[in-house]
Amino acid sequence: MSATIALGTIKGRHVDATLSLIQHSLIIVGLMVALGTFKPLVVDNTIADSQPAADSANVVEVPETEAIKPAAEELPLRLQRVLDFVSRRYRVAPEALVPIFEAAQAVGRERRLDPLLIIAIIGIESRFNPFAESASGAKGLMQVIPGYHLDKIPQGAGLQPFLDPVTNIQVGVHVLEEAIRWRGSLTAGLQHYGGAPDDPDTGYANKVLAEKERLEQAARRSSGARV
C-alpha cells in the first residue's frame, strides 16, 4: 500500500510539473505575441510621425509660371505701335500677336532682315493666322510649302513645324533670303516668294512693300493715334 501511495505521490508531482510547464509556456507565448503585435505598431507610428517631416523637407515650392515659362523679350516701342495697328487692321487679339512679333524681331535680327518686312509678308500671306493653309498646300503664317522646304526645318522642331509660328517664320525667312540672292533684288525675290517671278507688274512685291510702308507709318505715329 505504501508503494501505491508513493507511486500516486510521484504521479501527482509529475502532473503538477507538467501543468506548471504548460502555464509558463503559455505565459511566454502570450508575452511574445503581445510584444510581436506591439512592436509593429510602435514602428508604424514612428514612421508615420516622422514621414511628414521628411516629405516637407524634400518638397521645394517653385512658382509654375517662373519655372516653366521664360520671360519674353520686350518689344521696342515702334513694334508695340505696329502691333496695335495690326491688331485693329486684321482684328486679331494683341495677346495672339505678341509671340509672332517676338519671333519676327528675333529672326529679323539674326538674319539681318527688317522685322517689318517679315510682318508685312505675314499679313499678306495669312492675315496672322498660324493655321492657315492654301489650296496648294502652303501652311502657316508665311505660307510655306512643306514638300519644298523640309531641309530648312531647324533641329528640335515639333511634329507640326510649319504650324508652329516661330518655326514657320524661320523657314519662311530662309526661303525669302534664298529667293533674294537668286533673283538679285528684294523686289524680284518677293516675286519669286509669291510664286509669280515672271509677273512684269510685280504685283505681289508691290502689295508687300505697300503693307510694309503702312507698318512704318504706324511705327512713327503716337501709340494713341488711329491709323
Side-chain angles (χ1 to χ4, degrees), residues 10 13 17 24 28 32 41 55 65 67 69 76 82 100 107 114 131 141 145 150-151 159 167 185 198 222:
I10 292 172
R13 289 176 180 176
H24 281 84
I28 292 172
M32 291 176 65
L41 289 175
D55 291 343
T65 54
K69 188 175 182 180
V82 173
I100 296 174
V107 176
D114 189 346
F131 306 111
L141 292 172
I145 300 178
L150 293 175
D151 60 318
L159 297 177
T167 302
S185 69
D198 299 324
S222 64

Side-chain angles (χ1 to χ4, degrees), residues 101 171 190-191:
F101 273 61
V171 175
L190 285 172
Q191 283 300 125

Side-chain angles (χ1 to χ4, degrees), residues 83-94:
L83 188 149
D84 181 62
F85 165 73
V86 168
S87 176
R88 296 194 309 270
R89 176 172 170 79
Y90 291 93
R91 297 186 179 182
V92 180

Side-chain angles (χ1 to χ4, degrees), residues 91-187:
R91 297 186 179 182
V92 180
E95 295 82 2
L97 292 173
V98 169
I100 296 174
F101 273 61
E102 289 174 346
Q105 176 180 237
V107 176
R109 181 189 301 117
E110 178 186 354
R111 311 303 296 185
R112 297 182 180 180
L113 200 66
D114 189 346
L116 293 186
L117 176 63
I118 301 172
I119 295 170
I121 294 174
I122 293 173
I124 299 301
E125 290 288 344
S126 66
R127 300 184 66 84
F128 299 91
N129 177 8
F131 306 111
E133 183 171 1
S134 71
S136 60
K139 293 184 177 182
L141 292 172
M142 296 188 71
Q143 290 292 278
V144 179
I145 300 178
Y148 296 155
H149 305 292
L150 293 175
D151 60 318
K152 299 178 178 64
I153 298 176
Q155 292 184 353
L159 297 177
Q160 297 290 338
F162 293 99
L163 299 183
D164 175 71
V166 175
T167 302
N168 190 280
I169 291 174
Q170 289 175 324
V171 175
V173 168
H174 193 168
V175 174
L176 178 62
E177 284 182 317
E178 284 188 349
I180 293 173
R181 284 197 302 268
W182 185 23
R183 295 294 179 174
S185 69
L186 175 59
T187 298

Side-chain angles (χ1 to χ4, degrees), residues 27-45:
I27 292 171
I28 292 172
V29 171
L31 289 174
M32 291 176 65
V33 171
L35 290 174
T37 56
F38 177 72
K39 187 175 181 181
L41 289 175
V42 173
V43 173
D44 291 343
N45 290 338

